[in-house]
Amino acid sequence: LAKTTQPISMDSYEGQEVNITCSHNNIATNDYITWYQQFPSQGPRFIIQGYKTKVTNEVASLFIPADRKSSTLSLPRFSLSDTAVYYCLVGGGLSGGYNKLIFGAGTRLAVHP
Amino acid sequence: ETGVTQSPTHLIKTRGQQVTLRCSSQSGHNTVSWYQQALGQGPQFIFQYYREEENGRGNFPPRFSGLQFPNYSSELNVNALELDDSALYLCASSLSGYKDEQYFGPGTRLTVT
């Protein structure tokens, strides 16, 4: 499965938009890009998933360029309660045969008042 | 709709002992995956069960084993515990689709002394 590279940590201020970029140069044709959020002492929680272009839901937007070698998670109007670790994952394509999630170290996002 | 639940919440074991962790899937989900998360790292895939059969395995030794029951609940068994097995063990349930969202439980914190 493709390996991902994302910032180890980021700082932001409450009310600002936060963008986290993830690199996945070896993404396969059938791979999807998925982002999870994890709060301390909790399991990861699905945020958004996409294959190409732009996907938006009530929580975030995901921007994927045409070459799909990177993606950017955009979180609007970040709040203190959004302080968490954010994971970028690629995979889930048919070649895998089963749904295995490969997590990296994630991005620790700290929000300041 | 009931979410994914895990038991126990915390557990302390001695090196060499055996442990069984339990997971109840979200209603309607037929696939269960187990992950190990060491402190400060992302979750690592252990194995996945689909309709009571192991459907894929990560890079974990055979002393990590599992079961899935007809009601789709699951167990993770670890024999001959080692100090490095100390971690948060996460269970995630999903439908069988290869890109379906996985719903994580809160995890079981295992400490091996």
Side-chain angles (χ1 to χ4, degrees), chain A residues 5-10 19-23 35 86 105-108:
Chain A
T5 302
Q6 53 184 121
I8 294 174
S9 63
M10 290 180 63
N19 297 306
I20 308 174
T21 297
C22 177
S23 298
W35 286 79
Y86 291 82
T107 296
R108 297 185 179 277

Side-chain angles (χ1 to χ4, degrees), chain A residues 22-67:
Chain A
C22 177
S23 298
H24 27 80
N25 292 318
N26 298 320
I27 189 169
T29 303
N30 293 327
D31 283 339
Y32 283 76
I33 300 158
T34 311
W35 286 79
Y36 278 78
Q37 172 193 56
Q38 186 176 25
F39 295 108
S41 301
Q42 294 186 27
R45 183 177 74 101
F46 174 93
I47 299 176
I48 199 167
Q49 183 181 76
Y51 184 80
K52 61 180 179 181
T53 62
K54 177 184 175 182
V55 179
T56 297
N57 61 22
E58 65 277 7
V59 177
S61 294
L62 180 59
F63 299 90
I64 305 168
D67 65 6

